Amino acid sequence: MAAALLGGVLPLLAALFLLAPPPAAAASLTEVTGFGNNPSNLRMHEYVPDNVAARPAVLVAVHYCTGSGPAFYSGTEFASLADRYGFIVIYPSATRSGACFDVSSSQALRHDGGSDPVGIVSMVRYAQQRHNADPNRVYVTGASSGAMMTNVLLGDYPDVFKAGAAFAGVPFGCFATTDGSGWNTACANGTITRTPQAWGDLARGAYPGYQGARPRMQLWHGTADGTLRYPNFGEEIKQWTNVLGVSQTPAVTDHPQSSWTRTRYGATGNQAPVEAISVQGTGHSLPTAGMAARAITFFGLDAG
């Protein structure tokens, strides 16, 4: 009798197994096409963690020259942090020669002017529609060319981004050119200096008439950066303290690591209006281990 029962149960179990849904696939980087207005033909990849929040935040993570979205996904810690905290990461890829983002043209330096910023904002709007993402929690970070784009996006779209974290960049408008070139040697060498008011006017001028809140900014730079030289760090601090209407005198200075000097402007907490971290003796190689987590804290994405 037991054998007869077993003979009846096994086929039933086999049938149920065949009908059962396959186990959920682990989250992976996925390319998205047809995401909206994309005048410079950027590519879009997104990372949606398995534990994505019901109303997730969105982080745009922008690569360096010669890089790509998938390379920035593989080479940084933002995806693993998304796994921990449930936000979505968008990785744009530049497709022009050299794979640098356009932070120089007049189109790129104004709200809805065209070029790469328009495509990146289309990616954000796609994520908001596709994944029910929270429009009040959209952030951007990037390294080198991506850090310059972080500055540009905060100037062009203060209505979209709530904060940025720029790893080895330059101020908004510093890389502007009029000869069609994408490279500004004077800016890269740190020889362009302006008053805080002049820098602030450049960023505000990207979106004339905008009267809303301005995004907070976290700035990182190595003192030995030979590509986008260290004076750009001080010029960025001038710009964003002016844009955010806070004193250029730090509210607090500390050293989270022995080689880091962190200054906060306008407040002393983790979400100060402007936070700037100078990394002693480091070249053009940011972010390094642990820095992405500091950016996530600045954004508030690690809050419960």
Side-chain angles (χ1 to χ4, degrees), residues 154-246:
L154 265 56
D156 284 359
Y157 292 98
D159 55 329
V160 172
F161 295 96
K162 300 305 174 185
F167 292 90
V170 305
F172 176 98
C174 183
F175 237 64
T177 57
T178 56
D179 60 0
S181 167
W183 186 260
N184 186 318
T185 298
C187 178
N189 287 341
T191 61
I192 295 179
T193 60
R194 291 189 169 95
T195 65
Q197 184 69 37
W199 279 126
D201 288 346
L202 266 181
R204 285 183 290 267
Y207 191 175
Y210 177 76
Q211 298 296 323
R214 293 283 173 174
R216 298 178 298 110
M217 177 61 108
Q218 183 187 64
L219 302 163
W220 298 76
H221 223 102
T223 61
D225 193 325
T227 303
L228 299 173
R229 294 187 181 275
Y230 185 67
N232 283 300
F233 179 63
E235 300 301 301
E236 286 177 298
I237 292 170
K238 284 195 232 175
Q239 182 170 65
W240 293 106
T241 52
N242 182 267
V243 167
L244 285 150
V246 299

Side-chain angles (χ1 to χ4, degrees), residues 1 122 129 261:
M1 181 180 232
S122 292
Q129 294 167 3
T261 300

